[in-house]
Amino acid sequence: MKKNSVYIETYGCQMNVADSEIVMGILGNNGYELTQQIKKADIVLLNTCSIRDNAEQRIYGRLGNLKKIKSNKPNMLIGILGCMAERLRKDLIEEKKIVDLVVGPDEYRRLPELIDSAFNGEKGIGVKLSRTETYDDIIPYREDGLQAWISVMRGCDKFCTFCVVPFTRGRERSRDLNSIIDEIKLLSSRGFREVTLLGQNVNSYMDGSYDFSDLLASSAAVDRSLRIRFTTSHPQDLSDKLLETIASNTNICKYIHLPVQSGSNRILEEMNRTYTIEHYLTIIDKARKLMPNVSFSTDIISGFPTETYEDHLATLDIMQKVRYDGAYMFKYSPREGTKAFKMVDDVSEETKSKRLQEIINLQQQISLEINQSLIGTEDIVLVEGESKKSELFFSGRTDSNKIVIFPATIGIIEGDYVKVKINRATSATLFGDLVEVISKRETEVNSIAV
Ligand code: 5AD
Ligand code: SF4
């Protein structure tokens, strides 16, 4: 009997979520089936993340659990995919005896072959990086739903000194524009309502003479009731043309994730971020002139080597100046192989934590103030389903990616666009009342019983 049931667990960023769908696309074409139950699986795959040490520690913890499961089921294969596979390679197999497969992000096409050899008792290792692999022709495995992620480019050439991604995901390469548009057409016909174009650095997208603005404009033209989002943007490549494209297309969300990392020019230089705070603020100003309602989110690292208290204050200052709608905030974590790894990690753990807490507190206060200023306003919400806490409420998102909770109403299903009037706000959530239905989802899938 063919051993063909696969359980896959995904860690880390949305690129990994998209990659897991590609993996299941490849395995599906080769006769494998997805299972949601680990105990029924012949093959357990962990799609891993190396961005910070704590991400890797979580995977090691998980491998500890899997060891117990495997002791009752010795024929089950365990595979490590993604960034950790690339970073640790054979070490993973030598150190963690229960790992049978180690496959990096550019070798997923070889998975069926590597799985076969692993079932035959050899370890399956595929960790070469490629300059060309984009999985353009693979149709990712996706359940029906509202939101889909499409990776439009892979890798990163920026080499920020703290970041392991250029080493684990290799050089930048872009997918063919037409294949992306075909994928969006397919998603639209299946009733999807939101597509996020993904890349470590989406603004560097290039297919012949088509740049990322061209890709965004063509994606938006497929179906005007399909929201288009994108992430992540690098401040160095965020062009005027791109801002104008976002502004002039109603269904491109007016929401830009623009990692700043630090507010200090000296630290930005040490990080090799290639922009200054002044340049960064010019982009924010331009965007706000073109789109008064545009929202920004960011990534911030606290405690990069040599960061002084003044540098930290500069980070708090840029947060006050931009007033981000949201932020992902991290303590600096040294990653082997990166340039910063050779610097002395001289900010103590205690100081890193203290600074991070100040950054988090400030962001919460800013998010709360922004959200409270929205009380009394109306906004369009894409209904995503019942709220997590109660079936009497629906949850959805605004164009600016804010979660809105409002009373469940008969006749409204997930995928509808509705107008909601905001009447209460916390730093993370808006609450409101339904004003009117703006547009119904055409397919009758996934209706919600009220
Ligand atoms: N330590 C802490 N944060 C990091 N990031 C990337 N590398 C590191 C690191 N070594 C953060 C950056 C990046 C986000 C995806 O993760 O803020 O934008
Ligand atoms: Fe890492 Fe910098 Fe590339 Fe982002 S732009 S993936 S932080 S190297």
Side-chain angles (χ1 to χ4, degrees):
M1 194 181 77
K2 189 163 162 68
K3 296 177 185 146
N4 68 352
S5 91
V6 182
Y7 172 89
I8 184 162
E9 227 168 64
T10 307
Y11 295 80
C13 64
Q14 286 179 335
M15 288 292 289
N16 267 8
V17 176
D19 274 5
S20 289
E21 293 175 345
I22 289 171
V23 164
M24 281 317 302
I26 292 170
L27 292 179
N29 291 341
N30 285 274
Y32 291 90
E33 279 170 15
L34 188 64
T35 170
Q36 309 292 345
Q37 285 166 282
I38 200 162
K39 298 226 161 89
K40 292 203 175 142
D42 303 307
I43 304 154
V44 173
L45 300 174
L46 305 184
N47 193 358
T48 62
C49 171
S50 285
I51 197 99
R52 283 168 292 276
D53 185 56
N54 54 11
E56 290 194 348
Q57 293 313 320
R58 267 184 80 199
I59 309 284
Y60 284 129
R62 187 65 176 132
L63 282 175
N65 299 139
L66 292 180
K67 197 171 178 179
K68 286 187 204 124
I69 300 178
K70 192 165 168 159
S71 64
N72 293 324
K73 224 183 148 189
N75 293 331
M76 185 175 89
L77 290 188
I78 294 181
I80 297 285
L81 311 182
C83 289
M84 262 173 97
E86 199 55 57
R87 203 177 83 73
L88 301 163
R89 298 161 172 240
K90 287 197 199 98
D91 294 356
L92 263 177
I93 284 195
E94 276 152 25
E95 256 176 50
K96 303 278 157 192
K97 297 269 180 293
I98 61 159
V99 174
D100 307 288
L101 279 166
V102 175
V103 187
D106 288 345
E107 294 253 56
Y108 296 147
R109 281 180 203 272
R110 290 184 58 214
L111 263 168
E113 164 209 333
L114 294 170
I115 289 174
D116 281 348
S117 37
F119 275 128
N120 289 330
E122 287 164 43
K123 299 285 180 181
I125 303 178
V127 289
K128 281 207 196 87
L129 287 171
S130 155
R131 288 188 173 261
T132 51
E133 180 61 273
T134 60
Y135 301 109
D136 230 355
D137 55 317
I138 304 290
I139 300 177
Y141 172 89
R142 292 191 181 98
E143 306 270 343
D144 282 328
L146 287 184
Q147 288 135 323
W149 289 267
I150 303 185
S151 68
V152 300
M153 51 94 60
R154 302 180 70 84
C156 181
D157 289 351
K158 288 280 184 269
F159 287 94
C160 299
T161 57
F162 51 80
C163 185
V164 78
V165 167
F167 306 98
T168 58
R169 288 191 161 265
R171 300 285 64 74
E172 276 176 9
R173 63 225 105 113
S174 299
R175 271 182 67 181
D176 176 69
L177 184 137
N178 289 320
S179 85
I180 298 167
I181 299 303
D182 287 346
E183 200 171 326
I184 298 176
K185 284 182 183 156
L186 186 69
L187 291 167
S188 157
S189 71
R190 281 178 62 186
F192 280 79
R193 296 292 250 177
E194 192 175 288
V195 164
T196 306
L197 306 182
L198 291 175
Q200 239 71 44
N201 190 8
V202 279
N203 313 141
S204 302
Y205 176 87
M206 244 336 168
D207 174 22
S209 61
Y210 297 123
D211 65 11
F212 185 61
S213 313
D214 300 322
L215 173 66
L216 259 189
S218 312
S219 305
V222 169
D223 169 0
R224 293 287 169 192
S225 66
L226 188 70
R227 278 180 172 173
I228 306 292
R229 298 187 186 278
F230 57 96
T231 197
T232 292
S233 297
H234 191 291
Q236 187 195 319
D237 307 320
L238 206 139
S239 65
D240 292 357
K241 181 179 168 195
L242 179 58
L243 291 176
E244 279 150 24
T245 306
I246 304 168
S248 58
N249 284 273
T250 49
N251 57 325
I252 300 181
C253 293
K254 310 292 176 271
Y255 171 85
I256 305 177
H257 181 62
L258 197 62
V260 68
Q261 313 294 3
S262 166
S264 152
N265 280 335
R266 189 184 65 81
I267 295 288
L268 288 176
E269 206 175 327
E270 295 285 348
M271 289 176 162
N272 189 33
R273 286 293 288 178
T274 68
Y275 54 83
T276 60
I277 283 299
E278 292 71 26
H279 174 70
Y280 185 92
L281 286 171
T282 317
I283 303 172
I284 302 273
D285 274 356
K286 267 193 211 157
R288 287 197 164 137
K289 281 206 180 90
L290 271 172
M291 300 169 275
N293 286 332
V294 65
S295 299
F296 287 98
S297 61
T298 201
D299 293 346
I300 295 176
I301 298 177
S302 85
F304 184 80
T306 76
E307 185 187 76
T308 62
Y309 185 61
E310 281 66 37
D311 295 321
H312 168 62
L313 290 183
T315 297
L316 298 178
D317 187 56
I318 185 80
M319 293 171 71
Q320 296 273 19
K321 284 199 172 109
V322 178
R323 293 181 65 75
Y324 295 102
D325 287 72
Y328 300 89
M329 300 157 283
F330 315 102
K331 272 193 274 188
Y332 169 68
S333 165
R335 308 312 288 137
E336 208 175 336
T338 62
K339 219 168 163 191
F341 191 74
K342 298 194 192 92
M343 298 173 76
V344 185
D345 183 18
D346 58 355
V347 181
S348 71
E349 193 55 30
E350 194 192 344
T351 307
K352 276 184 197 166
S353 299
K354 190 162 171 281
R355 290 181 187 168
L356 179 64
Q357 197 53 52
E358 285 176 25
I359 290 168
I360 293 171
N361 292 348
L362 176 59
Q363 184 53 46
Q364 267 186 346
Q365 183 198 325
I366 293 172
S367 298
L368 180 66
E369 285 165 10
I370 293 178
N371 285 354
Q372 292 203 325
S373 75
L374 296 173
I375 293 174
T377 63
E378 295 177 349
D379 206 345
I380 294 173
V381 170
L382 172 61
V383 182
E384 289 179 2
E386 279 169 9
S387 95
K388 277 192 204 123
K389 290 197 182 140
S390 161
E391 60 187 28
L392 299 177
F393 289 86
F394 282 166
S395 167
R397 257 169 227 270
T398 63
D399 180 292
S400 58
N401 214 17
K402 291 184 191 298
I403 296 171
V404 181
I405 308 290
F406 63 99
T409 311
I410 290 172
I412 292 181
I413 60 166
E414 63 185 63
D416 289 347
Y417 286 104
V418 298
K419 192 184 272 177
V420 174
K421 184 167 183 170
I422 308 303
N423 57 31
R424 190 161 73 83
T426 66
S427 62
T429 314
L430 302 173
F431 299 85
D433 286 316
L434 179 72
V435 177
E436 59 180 327
V437 177
I438 299 292
S439 89
K440 297 287 296 170
R441 189 187 195 190
E442 274 162 25
T443 42
E444 282 303 310
V445 285
N446 299 328
S447 66
I448 305 166
V450 180

